[in-house]
Amino acid sequence: TPPETHLFDFTFAMRGHHLFFNARYHDGPFVGFDHEGLWRDSNGRLGVVAVDGMAAPGMPAGAVFGSDDSITFNHPIHFWAVNAKGHVAFNAYAEGGGVSTMGFDDEGIWVDDGNTLRLVVREGDPAPAVSPTARFGGENGIDTFGNDSFSHMDIPVTIGGSGAVLFGAGVRDTGYPRRSSIWTDRNGSLELIVREASQLPPGPKGSPAPGYPPGATFLEFGASFGAIKAREKIAFTATI
């Protein structure tokens, strides 16, 4: 950030000997939503994880972390989670480099393990576990991945002790504009755990709900909770 930068409105988390904090900042008279960063302090060494204007790995060349406030209604880093090894997972927005100005492919989930920052999934990517034509994201281009600040339609991203992530995501396909779903990369590639029923009848039903009578399916995951724990065991709340 520039030399005369002032931080404000920050949150922090401590895991093991790692301190993380997410803050908005300004370097002039106007305080905008787009000025934001995520930092990590390990063993007294402060380093940046992501900050607006920084190259966004996995996005097209020239794309940087940032957001068009008129589309996202939020700052670049939407939600984040950390583990005791110092790994951090977050969903954020990118701009430039050919990224859609209408918000249809500008959102993603990244993981930083202290050495490498990598993109896990991007809005607009295929979601073949749902169907051959399904893609991540809704038709309105807003809030593809779960968070707890603007939309509560999907579970927020979380990260397990090994660095595997669990996240909620909206998926669109022929016949429905958006369905919520839960995904993980615990086995190295993206894996669909469950999906909800279509909110527009007579759309497809959700995934079967184990432990309930035959025919019971998941209805929605709104305002829910998810966790990925030891041995990559997954837990989440849902409506049946």
Side-chain angles (χ1 to χ4, degrees):
T1 58
E4 297 302 317
T5 295
H6 301 279
L7 298 179
F8 73 102
D9 187 24
F10 67 89
T11 58
F12 68 92
M14 188 81 182
R15 296 291 185 275
H17 60 274
H18 306 281
L19 172 66
F20 301 83
F21 67 95
N22 167 226
R24 286 189 287 166
Y25 65 90
H26 70 96
D27 53 1
F30 173 71
V31 177
F33 287 124
D34 58 330
H35 290 73
E36 186 185 23
L38 180 61
W39 291 264
R40 171 180 47 225
D41 187 316
S42 298
N43 298 317
R45 297 187 298 272
L46 180 63
V48 64
V49 175
V51 67
D52 71 275
M54 173 180 151
M59 290 288 192
V64 299
F65 289 111
S67 66
D68 179 343
D69 299 336
S70 65
I71 298 296
T72 66
F73 304 103
N74 217 296
H75 26 356
I77 299 171
H78 218 164
F79 192 84
W80 55 283
V82 300
N83 67 16
K85 291 183 178 179
H87 302 170
V88 54
F90 61 96
N91 74 305
Y93 295 92
E95 61 184 358
V99 172
S100 171
T101 58
M102 297 302 294
F104 297 121
D105 61 4
D106 62 341
E107 190 178 354
I109 290 179
W110 284 263
V111 170
D112 185 294
D113 64 3
N115 296 306
T116 304
L117 177 61
R118 65 179 177 89
L119 178 67
V120 175
V121 61
R122 177 186 177 187
E123 179 183 20
D125 281 353
V130 175
S131 85
T133 56
R135 291 187 174 273
F136 286 100
E139 288 187 348
N140 62 4
I142 298 176
D143 281 351
T144 292
F145 303 109
N147 63 84
D148 70 346
S149 55
F150 181 74
S151 165
H152 297 278
M153 291 186 288
D154 306 289
I155 66 168
V157 62
T158 188
I159 187 168
S162 70
V165 297
L166 178 73
F167 63 92
V171 175
R172 66 180 184 271
D173 200 355
T174 304
Y176 55 88
R178 191 186 200 282
R179 291 172 72 190
S180 291
S181 54
I182 298 176
W183 301 73
T184 183
D185 68 347
R186 61 184 173 181
N187 294 315
S189 58
L190 286 184
E191 172 190 352
L192 174 66
I193 303 300
V194 288
R195 58 179 179 267
E196 71 171 14
S198 171
Q199 301 298 312
L200 298 175
K205 293 183 177 181
S207 301
Y212 277 76
T217 63
F218 289 102
L219 176 63
E220 63 180 3
F221 311 113
S224 59
F225 164 83
I228 180 166
K229 297 297 184 181
R231 298 182 182 178
E232 314 306 352
K233 299 294 185 181
I234 286 171
F236 59 91
T237 57
T239 301
I240 306 301

